[in-house]
Amino acid sequence: MELISRSVGREVTYRQLPINGLGPEAERALTDERGLWHADIAALRERHPGLLDFRPWLREGGTEQIRALFT
């Protein structure tokens, strides 16, 4: 959260939410053994060579996308 806070110029905190309050699709995605939370980064980079790491993503527009969530 520190990197995001510095990037957007305001404190951003983390709050864990109970999984059972996210809805059935999110619950399934996060609890299923084959859930969406698994990512094969090497395969993604092969399919999407321009895929950015988090810091470059923030520099390339991610910061503005996060800031928009606060307005």
Side-chain angles (χ1 to χ4, degrees):
M1 300 314 320
E2 181 180 331
L3 186 57
I4 295 172
S5 294
R6 281 195 319 250
S7 179
V8 299
R10 65 182 285 176
E11 184 179 5
V12 177
T13 58
Y14 169 82
R15 183 180 70 188
Q16 186 171 352
L17 298 173
I19 196 168
N20 61 358
L22 300 176
E25 289 181 20
E27 287 179 37
R28 187 173 48 255
L30 295 170
T31 58
D32 188 306
E33 186 176 306
R34 300 173 302 134
L36 298 176
W37 59 275
H38 292 284
D40 183 342
I41 302 300
L44 285 170
R45 289 195 183 286
E46 190 172 310
R47 289 160 76 193
H48 304 281
L51 187 66
L52 300 173
D53 290 336
F54 192 60
R55 288 175 195 263
W57 176 80
L58 284 171
R59 286 192 303 269
E60 299 292 325
T63 296
E64 293 310 315
Q65 290 180 48
I66 295 170
R67 277 193 187 123
L69 297 172
F70 295 113
T71 59

